[in-house]
Amino acid sequence: DPAPSFEMLRTPLIHRHLNCSRRIPSPHLLPLAASTGRQEQKQTVRRTDQGNELENFCLFSTLFKNRKILLSNSYYGNMFATAVRRSLGYWGNNEGGLRSPCSNLTTTTVDEIPPCKPLSNRLPTTDILVDSFGRKHTYLRISLTERCNLRCHYCMPAEGVNLTPNSNLLSQDELLYLARLFVIAGVEKIRLTGGEPTIRHDIEEICLRLKELPGLRNLAMTTNGLVLARKLPQLKAAGLDSLNISLDTLVPAKFEFITRRKGHSKVLDSIQAALDLGYNPVKVNCVIVRGFNDDEINDFVELTREKPINVRFIEFMPFDGNLWNSKKLVSYAEMRATVEQRFQSLRLMQGCPTDTAKSFSIDGFKGTVSFITSMTEHFCSGCNRLRLLADGNLKVCLFGPSEVSLRDAMREGAHETDLQELIRMAVKRKKAAHSGMFKIAETPNRPMISIGG
């Protein structure tokens, strides 16, 4: 098999701050403790030969300063040593370097490993994320869960959704493994979505580990804000760079109607907490539905007067079970006219070809206003986004039903080059544009909650 890229091996799958047991789903996800540093690193991993837990603790310490690696436990030690040799470009047959220990916890020494040197990427990653229309996909949205603590009308059917069994969802290590492959291939931004990502008990750890991926420039999250305020200091410390908070009304009673839950004040507290922690801007997502909150558009704009908030008005989009109707859609042109009627100094800001939003400033306002026009003025020609769903399916278009399971391939033992080929083929099949809102409404798709937006 081709050697794994050095960038993939350099970041441990088990975070250096942890010494707890971890579930590792398959042999190719074993923690590889290759390090580019000079200092000693120690990690503890627990696993069994029969399954997912190790009865024997494997303690390994990497000492690149002395070009020596000490390993306990021959099986995992040999795998680790081989991976390090391959990552450093050494293709020897392990002669003289690996000796089987007499017991599980004796030490094996690997001498004369060549020092680190720059390597060219051996994997053909240059076009993996480029589709047949020349669009390069540098933005990956990862759904962490299908569960949510709200029940928004436009996101979830009234009867709820059938949740995927936990065993069919990506584990944290599987998620990190796939994220690493995407970053190696050219992804520069990752957004965490749900369901609701903050209900994951390990959300801080996920952020911490994602931020360690070399080449990742921005880690973002979209959240309903219900429990964000108490978690945000830890998330910021873990490396969360930017934040979108969903809020569709400024009226508590209407909030309870649209979400089928209480909690309006908690969302406002989360927006303020994000401002206090220095997030600039704090993006507030607002889905506008005719007859529900279209009378609050200018009230939302007022939020941007004194605070660095970017209010993002989103056209109502059709998904399974959300009872979309074109009569409920408030178009971008209508929303913009509503704002301009009251705020005559509304000015279009210069954007990028890959922007999903048309952004505007208002004279004297600290914040900005944006419109996401997916239905009436789509931005498919500049789309650079892919979606990795909680069950491990790759979705190349938000409105397209086509998906490919990376989870199944990975659990069946696919090599990373096989996974990258699956990704490349899925991206190449991406269409030039979605089929239009009326055809989208007739096409079977997942509910928004299981896609993550």
Side-chain angles (χ1 to χ4, degrees):
D1 290 338
S5 73
F6 181 72
E7 287 300 302
M8 177 183 153
L9 292 176
R10 64 183 290 199
T11 304
L13 284 177
I14 299 297
H15 192 273
R16 63 175 177 270
H17 295 300
L18 302 178
N19 61 3
C20 56
S21 301
R22 172 152 328 281
R23 293 178 62 85
I24 302 178
S26 54
H28 64 284
L29 296 181
L30 283 171
L32 304 178
S35 171
T36 56
R38 295 278 181 181
Q39 74 278 14
E40 178 174 335
Q41 290 190 356
K42 294 183 178 180
Q43 301 181 81
T44 303
V45 183
R46 194 172 185 176
R47 188 184 170 104
T48 63
D49 293 336
Q50 292 79 20
N52 294 312
E53 309 270 344
L54 176 65
E55 299 295 337
N56 309 329
F57 282 88
C58 300
L59 178 64
F60 41 82
S61 170
T62 60
L63 297 169
F64 272 88
K65 183 176 182 180
N66 298 324
R67 296 197 298 174
K68 179 181 291 186
I69 299 178
L70 303 177
L71 303 162
S72 60
N73 186 295
S74 59
Y75 176 75
Y76 298 106
N78 288 341
M79 289 192 68
F80 166 67
T82 300
V84 172
R85 286 171 177 269
R86 295 173 73 184
S87 72
L88 298 180
Y90 179 74
W91 290 88
N93 59 4
N94 297 336
E95 289 180 0
L98 292 175
R99 299 189 298 274
S100 298
C102 297
S103 65
N104 278 343
L105 294 180
T106 55
T107 299
T108 299
T109 303
V110 182
D111 293 311
E112 299 304 321
I113 291 180
C116 285
K117 58 183 178 182
L119 294 176
S120 61
N121 196 341
R122 298 190 185 93
L123 297 173
T125 61
T126 53
D127 68 340
I128 287 175
L129 302 182
V130 180
D131 66 17
S132 57
F133 302 95
R135 296 172 295 196
K136 185 175 181 181
H137 297 77
T138 58
Y139 182 1
L140 178 66
R141 301 174 69 98
I142 300 178
S143 173
L144 297 182
T145 178
E146 297 175 349
R147 298 179 182 274
C148 188
N149 44 10
L150 296 180
R151 298 291 184 270
C152 298
H153 283 259
Y154 57 80
C155 187
M156 181 186 290
E159 66 275 12
V161 296
N162 294 322
L163 296 173
T164 303
N166 287 338
S167 60
N168 291 337
L169 300 177
L170 292 179
S171 69
Q172 185 186 130
D173 291 307
E174 288 175 317
L175 185 153
L176 266 292
Y177 180 79
L178 292 175
R180 184 176 284 105
L181 288 184
F182 279 99
V183 172
I184 289 172
V187 162
E188 298 176 347
K189 178 178 180 179
I190 289 178
R191 177 174 296 278
L192 303 177
T193 67
E196 170 51 38
T198 60
I199 68 175
R200 285 275 303 237
H201 71 278
D202 56 351
I203 180 65
E204 296 90 348
E205 183 184 344
I206 290 173
C207 289
L208 200 63
R209 295 177 67 188
L210 286 172
K211 281 296 288 185
E212 289 186 335
L213 296 179
L216 184 66
R217 296 183 178 180
N218 185 277
L219 179 62
M221 183 170 69
T222 296
T223 170
N224 61 32
L226 209 59
V227 300
L228 179 67
R230 61 183 173 85
K231 290 193 172 188
L232 193 53
Q234 292 80 17
L235 289 170
K236 185 174 178 64
L240 186 66
D241 297 305
S242 54
L243 202 57
N244 288 46
I245 300 175
S246 298
L247 180 63
D248 300 311
T249 177
L250 298 174
V251 180
K254 290 168 72 173
F255 176 89
E256 188 172 342
F257 169 78
I258 193 70
T259 67
R260 305 185 181 104
R261 296 290 187 275
K262 298 181 183 293
H264 185 262
S265 62
K266 293 180 180 179
V267 181
L268 295 178
D269 290 344
S270 291
I271 293 172
Q272 187 59 51
L275 293 168
D276 293 343
L277 285 171
Y279 284 96
N280 185 358
V282 175
K283 296 181 179 180
V284 175
N285 291 349
C286 181
V287 177
I288 298 298
V289 181
R290 190 179 307 280
F292 171 69
N293 60 352
D294 53 325
D295 60 336
E296 296 185 66
I297 290 175
N298 286 330
D299 295 335
F300 271 97
V301 175
E302 282 290 347
L303 294 179
T304 71
R305 184 184 293 273
E306 300 295 337
K307 297 177 180 180
I309 291 175
N310 171 227
V311 170
R312 300 160 68 83
F313 296 115
I314 303 172
E315 292 181 335
F316 184 33
M317 298 176 283
F319 291 95
D320 278 13
N322 73 348
L323 301 179
W324 183 86
N325 186 309
S326 61
K327 293 180 180 179
K328 297 180 183 179
L329 172 69
V330 182
S331 70
Y332 155 60
E334 185 177 347
M335 289 189 286
R336 178 176 174 177
T338 298
V339 176
E340 285 180 319
Q341 186 175 1
R342 179 165 167 182
F343 304 99
Q344 288 80 19
S345 64
L346 190 73
R347 298 284 185 274
L348 180 65
M349 301 167 64
Q350 185 172 359
C352 298
T354 58
D355 286 347
T356 60
K358 297 175 175 64
S359 296
F360 294 78
S361 62
I362 300 174
D363 291 348
F365 280 45
K366 293 182 178 179
T368 54
V369 176
S370 299
F371 301 90
I372 298 179
T373 63
S374 306
M375 296 293 97
T376 61
E377 294 187 20
H378 70 72
F379 33 82
C380 300
S381 62
C383 183
N384 68 337
R385 289 164 297 285
L386 300 171
R387 290 167 173 82
L388 179 62
L389 308 187
D391 62 4
N393 278 15
L394 174 64
K395 194 174 182 71
V396 297
C397 176
L398 174 61
F399 301 109
S402 178
E403 299 177 0
V404 60
S405 178
L406 301 182
R407 176 204 65 201
D408 290 350
M410 182 170 55
R411 292 184 181 180
E412 290 168 4
H415 190 272
E416 64 183 48
T417 53
D418 300 323
L419 291 169
Q420 288 182 319
E421 180 62 14
L422 277 178
I423 295 168
R424 187 189 69 80
M425 291 173 63
V427 171
K428 292 296 184 187
R429 289 194 296 267
K430 185 170 181 175
K431 296 181 179 180
H434 67 61
S435 56
M437 59 184 175
F438 294 106
K439 287 188 177 180
I440 290 173
E442 298 171 355
T443 303
N445 198 358
R446 297 188 185 218
M448 172 64 87
I449 190 170
S450 62
I451 299 174

